[in-house]
Each structure stands twice: as C-alpha cells, then as structure tokens.
Amino acid sequence: MNASHTLSIFAAIRIFMWRTWQNTQNNLFTFCMDAILSPVMMLLIFTYLFGGAIAGSTAAYLQFFLPGVLVLTIIPMTVYSGTTICQDIAKGVYNRFRTMPFWQPASVIGPLLTDGLRYTIAILVAIGTGMLLGFRPEGGIVGATLAVLYIIFFAFSVSWIFSMIGILAKRPETVSGSSMFFVYPLLFASTIFVDSSTMPKWMGTIVNLNPISIAVGTVRGLMGGTANLSDVLFGIGLCLLLIVIFAPLTIRLYLTKPNR
C-alpha cells in the first residue's frame, strides 16, 4: 500500500466523519434528548426514587449507580449506527456511494468514529450531573479518564453489531425496533442497577455473564479505584472480540450488498 493510497483512505474516513457530524448538528433535538436529558433524568429518578430503598441512602447508591448510568446511556445510542446505514441504503445513497472512487469501508468506519464524540458528550454530561449531586470518583482523575475511554471503546465495539443489523434490515424502523428488543433485556438483566450478589445464585451467574455487566464492572472498578489488571484486560478483551467478529462481517456485508 503506497503513501497516496493510505492518504486517500484517511481522507475518505475524514469526509464521512464530517458528514456524520453535520447530520448530528441537523438533528440537535434528538441528540440533546439522548445525550443530555436521558442521563440527567436517569440519575435523578433512580437515585432519589429508588436509591434509598436499594442502598439505604441516596449518596451510597449514587456512587454505585453512576458508572452504570454511563453504560445505560451510551448503549441505546449505538443503535443509531445501524439506523443511519439503513437510511442511506433505503434512500439510494448507498447506490451512489458504490459508483464513487473512494475506499468504500470509509462510509461505515467514518460514522462509527464520529459517534465517539457523541458518546463523549453524553458521558461528560452524566458525570457532571453526578458530581453536582455528590458523586466522587474514588479512582481519581486517572480512573475516571480510563473509565470514559473504556466506555467509548465498548460502545464502538457494540456499534458494529447494530451496523450489521442496519445493513441487513430493509427499513430504519426495523433496526431500532429489533435492536431495542434485545438491548433492553440485556440492560435490565445486568449489574447496572443492583449488585449480582443480591440475586439468586442462578440468576447472578447469568447476569455476570452478560456483556453489559462485564462492561459495567470494568467502569465501576476504574471509577471506584478497585479495578485489578485482570478485570480490565477481560473487559478490553470483550471489546476486541466483538470487533474481530462483527467488524469484518459488517464490512463484507456492506461491500457485497446488492444495489437497490
């Protein structure tokens, strides 16, 4: 691969990153609902409505719950990766892309990279709100920073799954509907809201195997200063596994999909 070809790859990715960000700016209301209002409402409702009953005090529950809120906020946002691709295919934009002389995988990779900025904004809003309510990351600034980076990486790995669904689906509504059918059971059957030690043993085992629980445990450990190297590596390994499986499959499906 020569230097000019490499440059053209990065240029193509940059163009699609910019295109995705422009689309985000054109849909600011939806973005604000997902990235700002959603995490704030989640924190307020669960901390002050259920926190005392679950943890004995709202302050203690906030320390436990906020890392889970970060994952709870970001995962539904990854579904938009699939709906965006599906919209391009349904509107015929995909057909026009296929006739253009650029590195074709850029039209998938570029939007996924831009989504990282959306995730970052949502995470910072949630952390900022939590700190106003009294949350303090016991892992310090280093632990909090590593936790934020991990959540973004986890969201990036999960977004490949929904991108694949977006390529296979015929309508964007199908992507959002079918994805949420699987997402919400995984979110609620996880350690986001309560610790698995409070559950029956059989259920706790299932919940601990949930990828969402693995991600939440990694974030909670980093922010709380209790993470050990093996847990962090296990969490990173989960992300890498998802990327290794779904990224090549998604790109292959995208490149070989017949024109509509």
Side-chain angles (χ1 to χ4, degrees):
M1 183 181 296
N2 56 44
S4 60
H5 183 60
T6 302
L7 181 62
S8 66
I9 289 176
F10 286 112
I13 292 174
R14 187 170 63 250
I15 289 171
F16 279 96
M17 289 177 67
W18 177 250
R19 175 178 181 263
T20 304
W21 181 243
Q22 289 294 103
N23 289 337
T24 299
Q25 291 179 313
N26 292 334
N27 295 277
L28 278 180
F29 177 77
T30 301
F31 174 71
C32 290
M33 290 288 291
D34 293 331
I36 298 175
L37 186 59
S38 177
V40 171
M41 293 299 295
M42 285 288 184
L43 276 172
L44 292 174
I45 291 174
F46 280 93
T47 299
Y48 293 107
L49 192 60
F50 302 113
I54 295 174
S57 74
T58 55
Y61 189 67
L62 180 62
Q63 289 294 123
F64 173 85
F65 182 52
L66 188 133
V69 165
L70 302 182
V71 178
L72 179 64
T73 299
I74 294 304
I75 294 303
M77 293 177 67
T78 62
V79 176
Y80 291 123
S81 302
T83 57
T84 299
I85 290 178
C86 190
Q87 284 174 351
D88 281 345
I89 295 174
K91 293 179 179 179
V93 178
Y94 168 80
N95 295 343
R96 292 196 290 272
F97 286 164
R98 293 287 291 272
T99 65
M100 298 179 181
F102 64 84
W103 189 60
Q104 293 293 319
S107 56
V108 178
I109 298 173
L112 297 188
L113 292 177
T114 305
D115 285 341
L117 181 57
R118 297 169 55 242
Y119 304 148
T120 302
I121 295 172
I123 291 168
L124 294 179
V125 168
I127 293 177
T129 303
M131 294 190 71
L132 288 175
L133 298 178
F135 174 81
R136 295 295 180 268
E138 297 175 4
I141 186 67
V142 174
T145 302
L146 291 176
V148 170
L149 293 175
Y150 175 77
I151 297 170
I152 295 172
F153 186 42
F154 180 69
F156 175 75
S157 66
V158 171
S159 64
W160 284 104
I161 301 175
F162 298 119
S163 295
M164 181 187 70
I165 295 174
I167 294 170
L168 296 173
K170 292 184 178 181
R171 297 183 300 174
E173 297 82 5
T174 304
V175 179
S176 57
S178 61
S179 298
M180 291 305 178
F181 179 79
F182 294 104
V183 166
Y184 281 110
L186 287 174
L187 288 174
F188 285 99
S190 71
T191 56
I192 289 177
F193 303 97
V194 295
D195 192 277
S196 60
S197 62
T198 63
M199 306 174 188
K201 187 175 181 179
W202 64 269
M203 180 174 288
T205 301
I206 295 174
V207 167
N208 287 333
L209 293 175
N210 183 344
I212 302 295
S213 296
I214 296 172
V216 171
T218 303
V219 175
R220 193 167 279 147
L222 289 170
M223 298 196 79
T226 60
N228 55 57
L229 182 59
S230 61
D231 290 338
V232 174
L233 291 178
F234 188 69
I236 294 174
L238 170 64
C239 299
L240 293 175
L241 179 63
L242 293 176
I243 293 173
V244 168
I245 294 174
F246 290 101
L249 181 58
T250 300
I251 291 177
R252 180 173 178 79
L253 287 171
Y254 186 77
L255 296 179
T256 58
K257 185 176 182 66
N259 289 351
R260 288 187 182 178

